[in-house]
Amino acid sequence: MVDFCGWSMPVMYKDTIMNSHLNVRTKAGVFDVSHMGQLRFTGKDRVAFLESLVVADLQNLANGCSTLSVLTNENGGIIDDCVVTMGEKYLYVVINAGCFDKDLVHINKHLQAFKDSGKDVSLHVMDDHALLALQGPSAMDVLGKLCEIDLAKMPFMTSIISDVNGRACRVTRCGYTGEDGFEISVPSAYAVALADVFLENGVLPAGLGARDTLRLEAGLCLYGNDLDETVSPVEAGLTWTIGKRRREEGGFVGSETILAQLAAGIKGAERRRVGLAVTGAPARENAPILDAEGNKVGVVTSGTFSPSLKKPIAMGYIKPPMHKAGTDLGVEVRGKVSP
């Protein structure tokens, strides 16, 4: 167990990280991600308010659909990444545990000003709910035995309220592993019972170690490593999260900087996020990325040994135009350069 943002979290359970990782890739694993912040926004002006803080086009987000977005600061940097779900009379938002406190300060600052202008919006922190992530090819079969809906008819990034193991839960088809799966928001009092039922159905528990290797194989960012308040969505390769209407209208915090970067194309950002396949020793956080002449052109932000590919992989930022796929680069690990 390790401390993670004030939560006691398992790096692994009885199995190794590699075996846990491969189990999620081939069968199913369950992650306790109750440390994530769950928020609910209500009021007739809730969409306008949240659109002032995130880059997503929420006006055109259909009821029951979810989207990845980012909270941005005045300089266009990323305060946090989040998932926003459109409810019938509310917005459901999941934020990162490590950013929870600063997110609430940022949100409440803008919320008060918004309400002072006569707008109608309220924020509720759902601290009475836990969050379980059931991930892997067998996830649908396992969850399907416990709920009343046909999960096969749920597209990716959709969400619905359903009874799960006899309790009303929010089920969202999403995840952080690159596999099919579901995140289940469950009243905290029933979370352990639900997790036990998953285990009784052959699902194995998975910890932070496997969560990190799985997300890195899938090219998914970890806030604090691959994203922070100095990195813009353009630099991070997350321009797809910025809706077409938002690109035209702006209106979110930091939009002037971000839209200027978009308009400038490849010259708009000094660095771009890339994925790396590494030979030799795994390249870890802060390892220099070098060009063919040995010049430093970037830095690794995340790195690990890939259990699926059976070789080291990494993520980092480099200067354009060297971010293009297929570019030969080197990484310096313990004084030695590996291609």
Side-chain angles (χ1 to χ4, degrees):
M1 303 292 284
V2 296
D3 177 79
F4 186 80
C5 307
W7 295 75
S8 183
M9 299 287 292
V11 174
M12 67 182 82
Y13 289 87
K14 292 182 179 179
D15 216 341
T16 65
I17 291 174
M18 180 172 290
N19 287 344
S20 182
H21 173 114
L22 295 174
N23 178 70
V24 173
R25 286 278 181 255
T26 58
K27 298 176 183 177
V30 60
F31 300 82
D32 181 358
V33 291
S34 302
H35 59 296
M36 305 286 281
Q38 299 182 70
L39 312 177
R40 180 190 289 251
F41 293 87
T42 57
K44 65 181 179 65
D45 298 312
R46 61 191 179 277
V47 170
F49 171 69
L50 200 56
E51 277 202 346
S52 71
L53 301 183
V54 303
V55 303
D57 180 357
L58 301 180
Q59 287 185 23
N60 291 310
L61 186 65
N63 185 34
C65 289
S66 305
T67 187
L68 177 71
S69 194
V70 291
L71 290 154
T72 47
N73 61 26
E74 287 77 6
N75 298 318
I78 298 173
I79 295 174
D80 197 6
D81 56 313
C82 59
V83 174
V84 183
T85 298
M86 180 65 69
E88 188 173 348
K89 295 182 179 180
Y90 59 89
L91 291 167
Y92 168 66
V93 181
V94 178
I95 58 177
N96 283 302
C99 302
F100 183 82
D101 290 339
K102 70 168 184 174
D103 285 1
L104 286 189
V105 170
H106 176 74
I107 290 169
N108 281 319
K109 170 187 171 183
H110 289 274
L111 181 69
Q112 190 58 54
F114 195 80
K115 293 172 73 171
D116 287 346
S117 69
K119 303 294 185 179
D120 176 27
V121 63
S122 297
L123 166 63
H124 171 62
V125 178
M126 299 172 60
D127 51 11
D128 56 349
H129 276 63
L131 193 63
L132 300 178
L134 181 64
Q135 300 284 294
S138 301
M140 184 171 67
D141 292 337
V142 173
L143 186 59
K145 299 175 184 177
L146 305 174
C147 64
E148 58 185 13
I149 54 176
D150 185 352
L151 298 175
K153 295 181 179 179
M154 278 188 71
F156 181 64
M157 295 301 280
T158 59
S159 186
I160 193 168
I161 302 295
S162 171
D163 275 3
V164 179
N165 198 38
R167 301 293 177 180
C169 299
R170 173 168 290 281
V171 178
T172 306
R173 194 164 197 168
C174 66
Y176 190 54
T177 63
E179 291 295 332
D180 188 19
F182 302 85
E183 292 189 354
I184 302 101
S185 177
V186 53
S188 300
Y190 307 109
V192 172
L194 180 57
D196 285 343
V197 172
F198 288 151
L199 301 185
E200 290 167 5
N201 279 270
V203 177
L204 298 181
L208 290 176
R211 189 166 169 82
D212 190 54
T213 55
L214 288 159
R215 68 90 189 171
L216 192 49
E217 281 188 350
L220 302 175
C221 298
L222 174 64
Y223 195 91
N225 284 53
D226 314 305
L227 304 175
D228 61 37
E229 294 201 33
T230 70
V231 176
S232 76
V234 178
E235 294 172 324
L238 296 175
T239 54
W240 60 271
T241 65
I242 309 172
K244 180 181 179 182
R245 180 178 61 82
R246 307 312 306 279
R247 298 183 188 210
E248 296 171 351
E249 300 177 2
F252 51 88
V253 177
S255 59
E256 291 185 5
T257 298
I258 293 169
L259 298 185
Q261 289 180 344
L262 281 172
I266 195 172
K267 298 180 181 179
E270 296 182 357
R271 55 185 172 173
R272 294 294 180 100
R273 182 171 62 91
V274 297
L276 304 168
V278 183
T279 62
R284 304 296 186 181
E285 182 182 357
N286 296 321
I289 302 173
L290 312 175
D291 65 14
E293 286 72 44
N295 302 307
K296 182 178 178 181
V297 293
V299 63
V300 170
T301 52
S302 291
T304 191
F305 180 84
S306 164
S308 301
L309 300 176
K310 294 181 172 52
K311 64 181 180 180
I313 58 173
M315 187 183 294
Y317 285 84
I318 61 175
K319 300 175 182 178
M322 304 198 76
H323 70 291
K324 294 182 179 180
T327 303
D328 290 330
L329 299 164
V331 290
E332 185 176 329
V333 181
R334 295 191 292 273
K336 296 182 178 180
V337 178
S338 298

